[in-house]
Structure formats: structure tokens, C-alpha cells
Amino acid sequence: MKNVQKPEKIHLGKLIKEIGKGRFVIPDFQREFDWEPWDVRDLIKSIFSDYYIGTLLLWEGNKETYKKMGCANLYAYNKEADPEYIVLDGQQRLSALHYAFFQPDVKFRKRKSRIYYFLKVNEFLNENYEEMIFYYQSTRYYDDLVNDREMQFEEHIFNFGIMQEGSWEIENWIKGYKNYWEIKAEEELDEELKSEYNVYVKNAKNLKDSFEDILDNYQVSYISLSKELELNKVCDIFTHINSKGKPLDTFDLLNSITRKEDIYLKDMYREASKEIDDISFPGFEMKTQILMVMSILKQNYCSAKYLYYLVPGEVKKIKTGDGKIEEQVLITSKQEFINSWEIAVNSIDKTLKSLKNPREFGAITSKFLPYPSIIPALSAIKTFVKNSDYENKADISRKIKKWYWASIFLKRYSSSVETSSAKDFIDLKKWFSNDDLEIDCVSEFIGSYKTLDLQKEANSGSAIYRAVFNLIIINGARDWDSNELPEYDDLDDHHIVPKSWGKKMGIPKEINSILNRAPLSGDTNRNVLKDQLPNVYLKNMLIKNDEAKVYEVLASHLISKKAVEILLREDFTVEDYYEFLLERKETIINQISKSIIDDSIELPEDLQLINNKVEEIELSLRELIINTLNITTTTNVKELIPPHILEKINQKLKRERKRNPALVEENIEFPSYWLQFLDLQELLQIITSKVHWEVFKNQFGTIEKLNIEFNDMANLRNALRHSREVDRITKMKGEASLMWLQQQLKI
């Protein structure tokens, strides 16, 4: 930020005066004054010990911002205020100074009475800083002490309530203290006591000097933000600061700001809580996530500074491509805000149901949800697709699942959630419209999933641990006792090889690996496993039940027949255990490949035959282009392929390098490898280009005829590969074009 903040200092004496005038007010979204009495004591102790107490963050206010922010006075300030600053950071410190130094007739928070703060004069002058400050609740004795200066002088106790009167009254108190002990010294006959009293008289000068030094020279630093600073930037700053390190709630901030629009977010949230399927996911702050979904759908972004633009009528300034500034209002009215809120609530509800569904994402209970933080992005993108006019929604659904699992296994939503959510929402929309623009995390995951170190995933709270558990559920994991699908609410992640055996064998961490876990009910764990080794309980299962059925049930848990054979070994050793982990890892990795990476749909037999013919024609066309144009090197490829098509090939090569860099380097010199990235339309463009058509026209006749046949075949092919329903006409025309192309290509 430029020219909007002014670092400054104010000495303690002036700060106390400004507090007394009511210069500081607190925005409605700030939490209440919540310090304990000892926190106030420690703050005063820090000041009188000449310690730094932190920098205040203030915002120059005006009537409009005071009203918009719902500002109130400091805690227990009950006079008419003359505000100048809105306190963004420092409310607790300023409220503490006000309470201690102005002694308002108000109970201390969560206490039955007032609290008074005092300075032990002798301890202060002797630099016994730990003992010099004390506080006490209102009692008859301390009420008298506060109001009776002679009692104070006699006890060598300075009442901090005097600080509100400023240096003149403090000096009067010190004069009174000095006079009190001068008179006592003159009247005292005992020389020893007289000498002691005279020490107190001399101490008065030291006390005066010390107070003057503290009031005039103790500096409190503060940063003052200009009143010209836009409110959305102030909101963003506010959500990132807090002197006690507690996260500040954007929701509460917006709840305050939207009241002027007659919108009551807290009431709306209470109603939403009744509708949402399950808000018990740990770390799932639904109230903020609803706002994030609203923001993503409205403007792609969802960090705190963008959420402010959800306020009805708020103007957002956008820099256009030519450098101009345009103004945009995202939400124009209260009703539009409510509609957007309801869409977001419904979206999150459906997403949570989808995440819990054992056939979709497999996070059957909150305990097994990998990342609650991914919910806003997932909710927003699913809602966007639902309301769009995409024809390939089944294909898009598979892309969303690939993105979801890639994000989980790459741990992308463990931090920078707002940034990841916004980027993914934008990039996913591009990918939906263009297969070549595969989102980066999917490419990265495809290139790295085989190297996942699942053996070390032994923390049940880790995202990858939970993701593997989810995949086992999705695979249709059946109960080991009944062989039926289980009651999912009763499932937990139980050990296959018992934990007790692992401890006994000296592998207490490795025994907890997700590779040694299975989703089983407590009853099955007690009645079937019984803390026994698998070579006991699995053998019993095989004896008592149909063997094929047992293997089928275990396979539903991604435990292969080979893994079972390892577990059944008579003298089961630690080496056997590690061999079992490796085998199960391979099975799980294969399942990831099958269900996430390759996820090709099964076609009916007649359509699969058609799909095979399309692939055969694509291969023949590539071979025809290579042979006819005499493409023998990659240099030829770059010379003979049109630039706009070459650019697409390079984009796809870039994606493949993320997936499998070794494979790319191994094949990069072969022209056939380059051409495999071309689709039917791109192959057609090469054949029918002005540069090359002369050498192809004898084989295909006219460009018009070739375009018609290609388009008919492409329509059929796209319907098959994007899970769209194939109507009778598309199928018949596509099959006719296949026959024509097979004839021209002599295949």
C-alpha cells in the first residue's frame, strides 16, 4: 500500500488523555474485551518496566465509517466520545489502560465487582518490578483506599485511577505524599523512625522524576491508516492481524457491515445450519465457507479482501486489459444477496452428501474427510457445471474427480486455500472446454502417483491416509463376517495385522500404516479378528465360508490373493509383514490407476466395436501423413505441420512431461510420437491444408466430401468418448463415414 499508512509514536501521557476524550472506537466485528485482571496488571507492569507493548493499528475514521462499521466505545467507557480512530489492532490494550487508569464504575468482565489497580511505591523505586503492581476487587477496605489519600500515603500505595487526571494531579499526589511524611518525620520522636520517614520524603522526588519520565518518554508506537483507504483493503488487513494470535473472523466483519442493508448473517447462518447435511467435519467453518462459495461463483476469488464485495451495492474496481479502470457491482440488492447465499448453502449441502456417499467420494464420516478446506472449491465448481449448458457433463464429472483426488494426494489444500480454490476454479473451467488444457495438478499427479510412499502414512489424520481409506470404501468394501455391505456409521479403521503384534515385534509406527488397515465394524473386529494374527482368523474364515467368496470380500478391501497368501504364512515374521505391505501398496496403486487415472467408461459391445474402428482409422491417418509427407525427423514435423497445430502439440508435450518426463525424453525424436497428440480435426486440417492437399486429393477426392465424412465420424467419436447419449442418426451417419474412410485408407 502506498501513502496510506503513517508510522507514528505517542507518549503515554498524551495517550491517556486521548483515551479519556474517547478518541478510540471499536468496530462491531471485533471480539469483546476478553482480558483477565492479571493481563491488565501485566500490561501496566510492562509499561512501568519500560518494555515494548506492541504497535497499535488504527484507521482514521469519519461519521460514515463509524456508522458503517457499527463502532462502539472502549470497554466501560460511558461518557460521550469524540472519536478519531477506529481500532483495528490494540483494542485489548487500550481497553485495559482505560479500565485501570480511569477506574469506571463498571464490573470487570466475568467478575462480580469492580477491580482496582495499584502501584507499590517502595517496590517501584527499588526496581522490584515483579511485585510493584497489584490489583484487588472492590471491598469496603479497597473502596476506602481508593478514596482516602492519607490511607494511600500511609500504605505507600499509588492508586492508578489518579492517572486519568494527568501529570498535574499526579504531581499533587506526590506532593501530598511528601508532605504527609515530612509532618510525620517532624512529629516523630524516635530517631530511627524519623530517619525512615525522611527517606520517604526524599523518595518523593525520585517518584516525581520517575512518573515524569514514564508519562513524557514512554512511547507507544502506532500505525495510522488513512481515511482514504478503501474499506475492502482495511477488511483484508484486519483479518490478518491480532495481538493474541487468534484468527479474526471475516464472517463477523461482514455480519456487521451488511446490517445496514437489513441483512442479518448470523440469523441466516443459524437457519443454514439446520439445512446442511453435516456440519461436524473438524476444521469445517461453514459460515465462512458459504461466503467463499458465493464469492467464487460471483468473481472467481474468495480471499478476505474479495468477500467484502459481496456487500450489496459495493463497487469493485477492475483493471481492464488496456489499463483502464472499470467499476462493477457484484450484488445489487438484499434479495440478490439472499439468493446467492441460498445457492451456496444448497451447494455445500449437496457436496457434503456427495463426499459422504460410499459410491462417490467415500468419506463416510467426518473422521475420514481428507480436507474440509476443499469444500468451497468443490461446491462452487459442481454448482457452476450444474447451471451451465455443457453437453459433456459426464466427462466433466470425471475431470472434477481427477482434480479432487489429485489435490488430495498432492496435499494442495493444506495451506493457501483461498489461492488454490480461485486458481483451480478458473483452470477447471478452461479444461472443461478444452481437453488440451488439463489442470496442472492432474498432470503432476498422473506423473507421480506410482511413487506415493503409502507405507509411511500411519497418521489417521493425514489427508493421504484418509484418501486411501475412502478409496477402499468406494471399491465396495464388504463386512468380513456377513459378507454384506456394512453399516457405514459403524465402521472404523482397524488393523489387519494386530497392533499388539507390531509393538511386540518392535515396529510400533509401521504397524499403524494405512496399508495395514481395513474399514471394519467394531463387532467384526471383536468377533472375527479378536486381536489374532491373520494366519489364525483368515484361516478360520476360509474354513467356515466359501473360499471364493472370502477372497472376493478381501479383494473388495484391496487385499489381493497374493497378499492373503502372505498373511496366512504359519511363522509370520516382520519380513512377511513388510512383504504384505508392498503387495497391498501395489494393489492400491493399481486401483488408483484404474479408478482415477484411466477411468475410461465401459461401452456396450456394439459401441466398443465402433470405438475400436475409430482408433484404427486415427492410427492409419497418422501413418498416412508420416509416409505421404515423408516425415522422418522431428525437424520435419516442425517444418511440415501448420504452426497453430504445432503449438497445440507443444502444449500437450508440456503436459506429458509433467506426467512422465522419462517417457517423453525416450520418444521425443520419433515423429509418430508427436503425431499421436493430434485429434481427428487436426489430422483433417493437415491433410486439407493448401500446402499438402495436392498429395492427398487422389486418395480422398474433394475437400468437401472429406469434411462431411470427418465431421460425421467426429460427432460419433465425441459422443462415445464424452459419455453423451448416441442417437440413431448420429450412429448411422458415423458408421457410414467409418466405412467410407476404411475404404479410402484400404483397412
Side-chain angles (χ1 to χ4, degrees):
M1 295 181 296
K2 298 176 182 177
N3 304 318
V4 295
Q5 58 187 47
K6 296 175 278 185
E8 300 180 51
K9 292 181 180 179
I10 183 173
H11 61 73
L12 181 65
K14 186 176 180 182
L15 178 62
I16 294 171
K17 287 181 181 178
E18 296 299 290
I19 290 173
K21 293 175 182 177
R23 296 287 198 237
F24 307 102
V25 289
I26 311 302
D28 180 73
F29 51 77
Q30 283 261 35
R31 67 179 188 271
E32 298 293 329
F33 175 63
D34 63 1
W35 275 16
E36 299 292 345
W38 51 85
D39 295 319
V40 179
R41 176 200 63 199
D42 291 345
L43 177 69
I44 303 170
K45 186 191 299 181
S46 294
I47 292 171
F48 275 71
S49 303
D50 197 28
Y51 293 159
Y52 174 65
I53 62 166
T55 299
L56 305 174
L57 182 61
L58 311 173
W59 183 26
E60 296 172 357
N62 55 43
K63 288 183 179 179
E64 183 184 348
T65 52
Y66 298 145
K67 183 178 179 181
K68 183 176 283 191
M69 305 296 274
C71 293
N73 296 331
L74 295 175
Y75 177 73
Y77 189 97
N78 48 24
K79 298 185 294 183
E80 185 175 346
D82 182 17
E84 186 173 342
Y85 295 105
I86 297 172
V87 181
L88 298 179
D89 189 26
Q91 181 216 164
Q92 305 297 324
R93 285 164 285 170
L94 290 172
S95 293
L97 292 177
H98 171 257
Y99 194 88
F101 293 163
F102 287 80
Q103 285 183 344
D105 189 10
V106 176
K107 296 175 184 178
F108 198 94
R109 61 172 294 277
K110 296 181 181 179
R111 296 297 190 278
K112 294 181 180 180
S113 61
R114 300 165 68 186
I115 299 287
Y116 300 123
Y117 288 86
F118 304 98
L119 174 75
K120 296 179 181 178
V121 172
N122 292 333
E123 302 293 348
F124 172 54
L125 294 174
N126 292 328
E127 299 185 358
N128 185 2
Y129 298 132
E130 289 301 312
E131 301 296 330
M132 65 180 175
I133 311 288
F134 77 101
Y135 63 87
Y136 215 92
Q137 66 185 22
S138 172
T139 62
R140 182 177 297 177
Y141 172 79
Y142 282 101
D143 288 344
D144 290 343
L145 180 62
V146 164
N147 295 301
D148 189 334
R149 290 201 175 181
E150 285 204 359
M151 280 182 68
Q152 297 167 20
F153 300 153
E154 179 68 29
E155 300 292 336
H156 306 284
I157 289 175
F158 175 79
N159 169 27
F160 273 120
I162 296 168
M163 298 286 282
Q164 65 184 296
E165 305 293 343
S167 57
W168 185 83
E169 189 58 34
I170 293 170
E171 188 173 337
N172 272 347
W173 188 93
I174 294 172
K175 283 180 181 177
Y177 177 79
K178 179 184 177 185
N179 291 338
Y180 178 83
W181 289 109
E182 280 180 339
I183 293 170
K184 292 272 285 186
E186 288 174 5
E187 295 176 349
E188 183 58 55
L189 300 176
D190 186 307
E191 289 300 320
E192 189 173 339
L193 286 175
K194 182 187 288 284
S195 176
E196 180 182 335
Y197 297 162
N198 282 325
V199 169
Y200 301 151
V201 172
K202 291 178 182 178
N203 281 349
K205 183 180 185 310
N206 296 333
L207 186 62
K208 177 177 178 291
D209 292 343
S210 295
F211 265 100
E212 285 180 355
D213 183 49
I214 290 170
L215 291 171
D216 296 340
N217 297 321
Y218 185 86
Q219 302 287 330
V220 178
S221 62
Y222 69 96
I223 292 174
S224 173
L225 301 178
S226 168
K227 65 179 68 176
E228 306 302 323
L229 187 61
E230 294 176 6
L231 184 53
N232 73 296
K233 290 186 178 179
V234 175
C235 294
D236 190 38
I237 292 167
F238 178 79
T239 57
H240 288 85
I241 50 93
N242 187 311
S243 62
K244 283 198 164 187
K246 296 179 182 177
L248 296 170
D249 199 331
T250 305
F251 179 88
D252 290 334
L253 181 147
L254 281 179
N255 179 57
S256 169
I257 296 171
T258 54
R259 284 181 187 174
K260 66 183 177 65
E261 306 294 336
D262 198 28
I263 295 171
Y264 298 92
L265 280 183
K266 287 187 177 179
D267 292 341
M268 292 167 68
Y269 170 63
R270 289 189 194 99
E271 288 303 310
S273 299
K274 299 173 185 176
E275 298 175 31
I276 293 293
D277 175 65
D278 189 346
I279 60 170
S280 63
F281 289 119
F284 177 48
E285 286 289 337
M286 189 188 73
K287 59 185 181 181
T288 301
Q289 297 211 12
I290 295 172
L291 296 174
M292 289 174 69
V293 173
M294 290 174 64
S295 184
I296 293 172
L297 290 172
K298 285 288 184 182
Q299 57 185 332
N300 293 335
Y301 303 100
C302 60
S303 61
K305 65 181 179 182
Y306 288 101
L307 296 185
Y308 172 72
Y309 293 119
L310 297 175
V311 176
E314 193 58 39
V315 176
K316 179 181 179 181
K317 294 179 180 179
I318 302 171
K319 185 179 285 188
T320 61
D322 57 4
K324 294 181 181 178
I325 300 296
E326 289 185 355
E327 293 188 346
Q328 179 185 18
V329 175
L330 298 180
I331 295 180
T332 58
S333 65
K334 170 186 174 181
Q335 190 56 51
E336 187 179 354
F337 183 94
I338 292 171
N339 292 343
S340 296
W341 171 275
E342 289 175 350
I343 288 170
V345 169
N346 184 257
S347 172
I348 289 176
D349 184 42
K350 288 184 176 179
T351 295
L352 291 174
K353 286 186 169 86
S354 179
L355 287 168
K356 290 173 65 178
N357 190 317
R359 300 285 77 82
E360 288 192 70
F361 292 99
I364 51 175
T365 65
S366 60
K367 178 180 177 180
F368 298 113
L369 178 66
Y371 277 132
S373 54
I374 203 172
I375 290 172
L378 180 59
S379 300
I381 201 64
K382 286 168 77 73
T383 298
F384 170 80
V385 171
K386 178 187 173 185
N387 297 329
S388 71
D389 56 0
Y390 289 119
E391 294 182 356
N392 58 329
K393 288 187 178 180
D395 181 51
I396 285 173
S397 179
R398 289 198 297 276
K399 287 179 177 178
I400 291 173
K401 286 191 175 182
K402 278 190 178 182
W403 158 76
Y404 173 85
W405 291 111
S407 296
I408 299 302
F409 279 105
L410 294 176
K411 301 180 180 179
R412 295 182 62 253
Y413 278 77
S414 59
S415 61
S416 304
V417 172
E418 293 90 349
T419 302
S420 297
S421 297
K423 184 178 187 305
D424 288 355
F425 184 74
I426 294 168
D427 290 348
L428 279 167
K429 289 191 290 184
K430 294 176 183 177
W431 187 25
F432 296 160
S433 301
N434 186 343
D435 288 344
D436 294 339
L437 298 179
E438 182 176 81
I439 193 167
D440 287 345
C441 65
V442 170
S443 301
E444 182 183 346
F445 180 58
I446 290 173
S448 63
Y449 76 96
K450 290 183 180 178
T451 64
L452 285 170
D453 189 359
L454 299 181
Q455 183 174 313
K456 75 173 184 180
E457 296 297 335
N459 179 358
S460 62
S462 86
I464 294 178
Y465 181 105
R466 294 178 176 185
V468 172
F469 186 90
N470 296 166
L471 287 174
I472 297 170
I473 293 293
I474 294 169
N475 194 53
R478 292 180 172 270
D479 183 71
W480 292 10
D481 192 11
S482 67
N483 292 358
E484 301 292 333
L485 288 173
E487 293 292 331
Y488 292 106
D489 290 343
D490 295 336
L491 295 186
D492 210 338
D493 48 337
H494 290 288
H495 292 76
I496 298 169
V497 177
K499 185 176 182 178
S500 58
W501 180 87
K503 287 184 177 181
K504 179 181 176 182
M505 303 305 290
I507 51 170
K509 290 183 180 179
E510 294 85 344
I511 199 68
N512 293 323
S513 169
I514 185 60
L515 298 174
N516 186 40
R517 299 295 191 118
L520 302 170
S521 69
D523 286 343
T524 298
N525 186 49
R526 287 186 295 272
N527 299 331
V528 177
L529 278 66
K530 301 178 182 178
D531 201 34
Q532 302 172 116
L533 279 171
N535 56 18
V536 176
Y537 68 78
L538 286 181
K539 187 179 290 184
N540 290 335
M541 286 171 61
L542 289 165
I543 291 170
K544 295 177 182 178
N545 301 280
D546 178 85
E547 189 174 294
K549 281 287 185 185
V550 173
Y551 281 115
E552 185 181 317
V553 168
L554 294 172
S556 72
H557 288 255
L558 301 179
I559 301 172
S560 67
K561 190 170 183 179
K562 181 179 177 182
V564 176
E565 290 170 355
I566 296 169
L567 292 171
L568 286 170
R569 290 174 184 170
E570 284 298 325
D571 297 317
F572 191 76
T573 65
V574 171
E575 289 73 22
D576 294 327
Y577 175 72
Y578 285 124
E579 188 180 345
F580 159 68
L581 295 186
L582 287 173
E583 171 58 23
R584 195 167 190 227
K585 175 188 173 181
E586 184 177 341
T587 304
I588 291 171
I589 294 294
N590 288 338
Q591 181 64 19
I592 291 173
S593 176
K594 177 183 173 183
S595 62
I596 300 174
I597 307 300
D598 297 330
D599 79 334
S600 52
I601 59 169
E602 274 193 45
L603 294 169
E605 188 175 349
D606 61 326
L607 295 182
Q608 186 61 54
L609 287 171
I610 294 172
N611 192 53
N612 293 342
K613 288 178 183 178
V614 173
E615 289 182 356
E616 185 180 25
I617 286 172
E618 284 183 300
L619 290 171
S620 297
L621 287 168
R622 293 188 185 109
E623 187 177 346
L624 175 69
I625 290 171
I626 289 172
N627 293 335
T628 304
L629 299 181
N630 194 27
I631 300 175
T632 57
T633 66
T634 53
T635 303
N636 294 145
V637 172
K638 296 173 184 177
E639 291 172 349
L640 297 170
I641 301 297
H644 70 284
I645 295 179
L646 187 62
E647 184 181 346
K648 288 186 177 181
I649 293 176
N650 283 321
Q651 285 180 352
K652 293 175 181 178
L653 278 170
K654 183 179 178 182
R655 182 188 70 193
E656 286 302 308
R657 280 195 171 92
K658 292 179 182 176
R659 291 180 165 193
N660 197 333
L663 184 64
V664 173
E665 292 308 313
E666 185 180 332
N667 293 281
I668 196 70
E669 298 301 323
F670 299 103
S672 58
Y673 183 72
W674 285 65
L675 266 65
Q676 77 170 0
F677 295 111
L678 300 179
D679 62 25
L680 282 172
Q681 289 302 322
E682 289 158 353
L683 293 171
L684 176 63
Q685 288 175 42
I686 293 172
I687 293 170
T688 59
S689 66
K690 290 181 180 180
V691 179
H692 302 313
W693 175 243
E694 282 297 317
V695 296
F696 290 109
K697 69 179 183 180
N698 290 336
Q699 189 154 6
F700 296 109
T702 67
I703 289 179
E704 291 75 14
K705 173 65 173 173
L706 185 60
N707 277 330
I708 291 171
E709 301 298 342
F710 255 76
N711 286 335
D712 287 342
M713 181 178 68
N715 287 336
L716 178 57
R717 172 211 183 260
N718 291 337
L720 293 175
R721 297 190 181 178
H722 294 295
S723 308
R724 294 200 295 269
E725 186 176 347
V726 182
D727 62 80
R728 187 164 172 245
I729 294 174
T730 299
K731 184 181 178 187
M732 289 177 66
K733 291 174 73 174
E735 287 183 297
S737 67
L738 285 173
M739 291 176 64
W740 185 85
L741 283 164
Q742 284 175 321
Q743 188 177 37
Q744 309 313 309
L745 294 168
K746 298 180 174 57
I747 55 176

